[in-house]
Amino acid sequence: MAVLVKDFESVIKRLESNYKDCEISQTDSVLNIKLPLGEIKVKNNKIYFYVLNESLGKLDFESNDELYEEIEAFIVTLQEEGNKCNPTYVKAQKNLEKRRGRAEFAFSTIFFVIFVLYTLFDLHWIFLLMVVLSPLASTVTSRFLSLYSLSKDWLCPHCGAKLPIERKRWHPCQKYVSHCPECKKLLIDRSMIRNLRDEIFPKDYDDYEGFDFVPPQKRGRKVCISFGILVLISTLILGLILTIVARRALFASTVVNIVFLIIAALLGFLLLLLPARCIEEDKADFSFMVYEQKILSFVGIFIGFVGIFFISAAFFTSKEDVSSAVICNFFGISFLFSGIFMTAAYQNRALYVYKSHLTYVTSFGRKKDFDIQQISYVKLSATDSIKFFDENRKKLFSIERNMIGSENVFDWIGMQNIEFKLSCTLQRRTGKQMEASVITWDEAYSTPLHKHIKAIRIGLIFVFSLFAAGCILPLLMWFFGDLKISHTIYMSTLSPIPLLLYYLAFAPVLLLYNKPKEATEEWKSKYIKFPTIHVTLLSLFLLFHVYYLWMSIILQVADTGRFMVLFIAIAAILSLLLYIRTPKHMRKKDGLAMLILSSVVLCFSMTYGIVLLSSTPVEHYPAIFTDSRIEGSDEENPSHYLTVLLDDKKDAELYVTKETYDLQQLETPFIVCQKNNVFGIRLVRLHLPMSKEVFSSVREKNT
């Protein structure tokens, strides 16, 4: 019985939504899907595949879901293999990877220099500036490199026209095309097209009993030996530095560094002695093997040197600060062991499948043999790990889907009639994806706000610009002396309020996550993307300069407990309002959690601004000091604290500069500048009664 095309309406909609370069034509009994390099025909419950007018074969299908999966697999495979045959595409990708590699090396060098400056000179503002600006700098650099590489390399070799670009937010990339849109010439090398069919459907597919043949890989010990030698050389250099330091004076942190350095040297020495796997791979009953990719060794070496960096960073910690030395060394050893483990996995870890049994080799070269009858079931986890269990639910071994040859494991499981399971998390995730394969607009979600999308978008740009300007401009204006302290704090801390109120007013049309690709154009036109990530970065920037500048130096909070209670109350109310105003069908993603987290961070800054705004006029009275202390050593720019008696006879410890601390030690009179608040929260600072005269007389006494 012929299947009518109208029965495939759901498949056609999904294809038109996800693959816009498909040309779909239909008659009463034939569905024809034309692709840039191939063609698919569906007729009489069979799928016919063609590449450049050459037939590849046919497949049977039983349901629309199975039909779509087979078509999608063919389109994706054809696109990936077509890119390999496109010299222009390959050249652009390689050049982009080279430029990104150079940029990553430059960023890592800058990070190392900043970290050294931070540890040697205790320049907190440099480190904070790096933390705040590094995400923005990396994003802008990545976008610039992508645009530069595309403009230089992604050009038609025949006419020089620019080829299509797929804009993925901050990272534009090449859009798959087989012909130039301008001159219509083929971009793929014809000498490589002949191998395209064999790449997708190998002619010798049946020669290996249904498996894609993966030749045995005998890997030597060169990578592990080279990495082990580098680790030993690094530990030797660090050991010489420690020896010089220990001769002068033996501190507690030095002893900790010596112990962890010995552990690092032992790890490098064990890597030199690690044996390589030795398996009889040329047996007659050998079917296929699964092994790690080469990229794992590069990642392992990189992580290992990150660990060595942390170990060397422990040398710059305070000589009396044992806890910092332990933490740095602990992270260093953890990273180093992880890198060694990855490098060893690249050398040894593999699964050998024979007709009668399986042989699994661990990362450190231990061989384990299993009979096929021992395997009761196989489970695929959400992390793409394929785990093998026996009848007692004991895990025998596991492999990952990113390993070479892992695709053959699924065919082998089906041939052996072994039960295949999905983890609970993967079952839920797969179920949700099947339910929402194509997202269409539902009139039940329509509100009057959806009729004013353009005006709401303009308003969102305006209030977000106010927020961004309020975070940055007042601070710069105060720094250059054009704005008072109080006005600076008001403008900075209260700038998020219009944006948050705007979201509460227009939440039904503001989308907190990226618009899904499987959504229809009508659905996408009904929502506006809210800049959640940008709000998060700006909220962190605002928190840093409010906490480390205004609250720590300018006007310090004396009643910390009451301040935290007010902050928690405001944050709880705002979080509840954000949750209630966000429609139920838009709470499923992580965007709402990120927005609530950002709002909590903003509430801390806003609480400080609200406290200052609702304060009474300034009160002054002579300062009575009850205690003083210095935290840290004199060599590393320590923190100075003075304890002052407030008007209610309660002590308040204030952070002060070294100059203020020295003046107090010389019994210089100070004045307490205090602002009271309707919430019972006091803001306090110290200043001299006659700044110029007293300061000059004290300086004369010191000289």
Side-chain angles (χ1 to χ4, degrees):
M1 178 179 179
V3 180
L4 298 179
V5 173
K6 65 180 181 181
D7 297 331
F8 303 139
E9 289 182 358
S10 61
V11 177
I12 295 174
K13 288 182 179 179
R14 293 168 69 178
L15 289 173
E16 290 176 344
S17 175
N18 297 332
Y19 302 98
K20 302 190 182 298
D21 56 348
C22 297
E23 297 181 8
I24 302 176
S25 59
Q26 47 187 307
T27 61
D28 290 339
S29 59
V30 179
L31 175 63
N32 189 16
I33 304 169
K34 192 173 182 181
L35 306 168
L37 285 179
E39 190 175 2
I40 304 172
K41 292 184 179 181
V42 182
K43 183 179 180 181
N44 297 333
N45 288 33
K46 294 184 183 296
I47 314 171
Y48 299 86
F49 299 101
Y50 301 88
V51 171
L52 297 177
N53 298 324
E54 182 181 355
S55 176
L56 298 183
K58 59 184 178 180
L59 290 175
D60 297 330
F61 66 94
E62 298 179 356
S63 63
N64 283 356
D65 289 336
E66 186 178 354
L67 171 62
Y68 179 79
E69 289 176 1
E70 295 294 345
I71 293 175
E72 186 176 46
F74 179 76
I75 293 175
V76 173
T77 305
L78 194 65
Q79 180 173 329
E80 291 177 353
E81 298 300 331
N83 285 337
K84 294 179 183 178
C85 300
N86 189 335
T88 308
Y89 182 89
V90 174
K91 178 184 176 182
Q93 282 290 99
K94 289 183 177 179
N95 290 341
L96 178 59
E97 291 175 0
K98 287 181 181 179
R99 295 185 181 103
R100 283 181 176 172
R102 294 168 186 168
E104 290 173 359
F105 177 78
F107 268 108
S108 61
T109 305
I110 294 172
F111 180 85
F112 177 78
V113 172
I114 292 176
F115 188 82
V116 171
L117 292 174
Y118 169 71
T119 52
L120 290 178
F121 303 105
D122 202 16
L123 300 177
H124 295 280
W125 65 273
I126 292 182
F127 190 75
L128 293 176
L129 188 65
M130 181 196 67
V131 172
V132 173
L133 297 182
S134 58
L136 179 62
S138 60
T139 303
V140 172
T141 304
S142 178
R143 178 175 174 80
F144 172 77
L145 290 176
S146 299
L147 291 174
Y148 176 77
S149 182
L150 292 173
S151 63
K152 188 174 182 180
D153 301 320
W154 190 228
L155 305 172
C156 176
H158 305 290
C159 65
K162 293 183 179 180
L163 297 175
I165 296 175
E166 185 177 2
R167 297 190 177 275
K168 295 183 178 180
R169 299 195 65 192
W170 287 95
H171 300 284
C173 60
Q174 300 100 314
K175 186 176 181 181
Y176 171 71
V177 288
S178 58
H179 297 76
C180 175
E182 296 293 332
C183 62
K184 308 300 181 182
K185 291 186 178 180
L186 188 67
L187 299 176
I188 296 176
D189 189 355
R190 293 187 176 275
S191 62
M192 303 174 70
I193 293 178
R194 299 174 182 175
N195 301 325
L196 186 59
R197 182 187 183 280
D198 296 335
E199 290 291 338
I200 302 176
F201 295 99
K203 295 179 180 179
D204 51 357
Y205 186 76
D206 298 329
D207 296 343
Y208 301 99
E209 302 180 358
F211 304 117
D212 292 330
F213 180 66
V214 180
Q217 298 289 324
K218 293 184 179 180
R219 288 175 175 166
R221 300 176 57 238
K222 292 182 180 179
V223 176
C224 287
I225 291 176
S226 302
F227 187 30
I229 292 174
L230 291 175
V231 171
L232 288 177
I233 292 174
S234 302
T235 54
L236 179 61
I237 295 173
L238 295 176
L240 292 174
I241 297 174
L242 275 180
T243 304
I244 297 172
V245 173
R247 283 184 177 179
R248 297 175 180 174
L250 189 62
F251 298 96
S253 61
T254 308
V255 176
V256 172
N257 292 334
I258 292 173
V259 172
F260 279 96
L261 199 60
I262 293 174
I263 297 174
L266 289 175
L267 290 176
F269 184 71
L270 291 175
L271 190 59
L272 290 176
L273 301 179
L274 185 68
R277 61 173 182 243
C278 183
I279 306 294
E280 297 180 10
E281 300 160 339
D282 53 352
K283 286 185 177 180
D285 60 346
F286 175 76
S287 296
F288 65 92
M289 68 178 294
V290 183
Y291 56 94
E292 296 284 4
Q293 299 186 41
K294 192 174 183 179
I295 187 64
L296 188 66
S297 62
F298 294 105
V299 175
I301 294 174
F302 175 77
I303 292 178
F305 277 106
V306 171
I308 295 175
F309 167 75
F310 272 98
I311 294 173
S312 60
F315 292 10
F316 297 100
T317 58
S318 175
K319 299 180 178 64
E320 300 174 357
D321 192 358
V322 180
S323 59
S324 298
V326 172
I327 292 173
C328 286
N329 281 294
F330 175 77
F331 279 106
I333 292 297
S334 301
F335 278 108
L336 181 59
F337 180 79
S338 301
I340 289 175
F341 182 81
M342 290 182 182
T343 309
Y346 162 74
Q347 176 181 287
N348 289 330
R349 189 172 180 229
L351 173 65
Y352 300 82
V353 179
Y354 301 92
K355 294 180 180 179
S356 58
H357 68 284
L358 294 87
T359 300
Y360 178 75
V361 183
T362 64
S363 300
F364 294 105
R366 184 183 176 188
K367 186 177 73 171
K368 299 179 181 179
D369 293 322
F370 302 97
D371 293 331
I372 298 178
Q373 291 75 17
Q374 288 182 257
I375 302 174
S376 176
Y377 64 93
V378 178
K379 180 182 288 187
L380 178 64
S381 68
T383 57
D384 280 349
S385 178
I386 307 171
K387 302 177 182 179
F388 293 74
F389 295 85
D390 61 7
E391 57 184 6
N392 298 322
R393 296 183 179 180
K394 179 183 177 182
K395 190 179 79 170
L396 302 175
F397 60 91
S398 65
I399 59 174
E400 281 70 46
R401 290 187 66 180
N402 59 1
M403 297 175 69
I404 299 175
S406 61
E407 62 276 1
N408 293 325
V409 174
F410 297 99
D411 297 331
W412 180 84
I413 292 171
M415 293 175 60
Q416 300 298 329
N417 295 322
I418 298 175
E419 184 181 1
F420 185 79
K421 298 181 180 180
L422 299 178
S423 64
C424 297
T425 304
L426 195 59
Q427 286 178 1
R428 291 194 297 268
R429 185 182 301 174
T430 306
K432 291 179 181 179
Q433 290 177 353
M434 292 180 64
E435 291 175 3
S437 54
V438 177
I439 302 176
T440 57
W441 173 245
D442 189 352
E443 289 297 333
Y445 300 144
S446 181
T447 64
L449 297 175
H450 287 89
K451 300 178 182 179
H452 308 282
I453 293 293
K454 292 184 179 179
I456 296 173
R457 181 179 286 109
I458 295 173
L460 178 62
I461 295 173
F462 177 73
V463 294
F464 178 76
S465 301
L466 285 179
F467 171 49
C471 290
I472 301 172
L473 291 182
L475 183 65
L476 295 176
M477 294 173 68
W478 171 79
F479 182 78
F480 289 107
D482 298 331
L483 202 63
K484 293 182 179 180
I485 293 176
S486 58
H487 295 165
T488 304
I489 298 175
Y490 295 152
M491 295 176 64
S492 297
T493 57
L494 303 181
S495 60
I497 293 179
L499 180 64
L500 295 173
L501 293 177
Y502 196 85
Y503 178 82
L504 292 175
F506 302 103
V509 298
L510 298 178
L511 198 64
L512 297 174
Y513 49 89
N514 294 330
K515 295 180 180 180
K517 293 181 180 180
E518 59 271 15
T520 60
E521 294 299 328
E522 182 184 9
W523 189 95
K524 294 178 180 179
S525 65
K526 298 293 184 180
Y527 293 103
I528 304 170
K529 176 68 175 67
F530 188 81
T532 313
I533 297 178
H534 304 82
V535 171
T536 303
L537 294 175
L538 287 173
S539 64
L540 291 174
F541 175 76
L542 183 61
L543 174 66
F544 278 129
H545 79 253
V546 167
Y547 182 79
Y548 286 102
L549 183 59
W550 312 130
M551 293 185 66
S552 299
I553 300 176
I554 307 300
L555 281 172
Q556 303 183 49
V557 178
D559 302 290
T560 308
R562 294 180 181 180
F563 181 86
M564 293 304 297
V565 170
L566 180 61
F567 156 64
I568 293 172
I570 295 175
I573 294 172
L574 181 60
S575 300
L576 182 62
L577 290 175
L578 291 174
Y579 182 82
I580 293 174
R581 281 294 296 159
T582 304
K584 291 183 179 180
H585 64 280
M586 298 170 63
R587 300 175 186 169
K588 299 178 181 179
K589 301 285 184 177
D590 298 331
L592 179 60
M594 183 175 290
L595 178 64
I596 291 177
L597 180 62
S598 303
S599 66
V600 171
V601 174
L602 288 173
C603 282
F604 189 90
S605 303
M606 289 191 299
T607 303
Y608 185 75
I610 292 171
V611 168
L612 181 61
L613 186 63
S614 58
S615 297
T616 58
V618 180
E619 296 181 4
H620 295 89
Y621 53 88
I624 301 175
F625 298 99
T626 59
D627 193 13
S628 61
R629 68 183 180 91
I630 298 177
E631 191 176 273
S633 61
D634 293 332
E635 298 177 356
E636 299 186 355
N637 192 16
S639 301
H640 299 78
Y641 297 92
L642 294 175
T643 303
V644 65
L645 196 66
L646 300 181
D647 56 351
D648 59 352
K649 307 304 179 183
K650 292 183 179 179
D651 292 335
E653 187 177 61
L654 305 179
Y655 170 81
V656 296
T657 61
K658 183 179 184 301
E659 197 171 64
T660 302
Y661 184 87
D662 292 339
L663 289 171
Q664 190 276 332
Q665 295 299 308
L666 295 172
E667 299 182 354
T668 304
F670 277 88
I671 296 295
V672 176
C673 180
Q674 177 177 310
K675 277 179 169 286
N676 297 319
N677 187 271
V678 294
F679 301 104
I681 303 170
R682 291 167 296 183
L683 302 176
V684 181
R685 66 181 295 231
L686 294 173
H687 64 81
L688 295 169
M690 298 173 61
S691 303
K692 295 182 180 180
E693 291 82 355
V694 175
F695 187 81
S696 59
S697 62
V698 171
R699 178 164 289 179
E700 290 177 2
K701 292 180 181 180
N702 290 337
T703 55

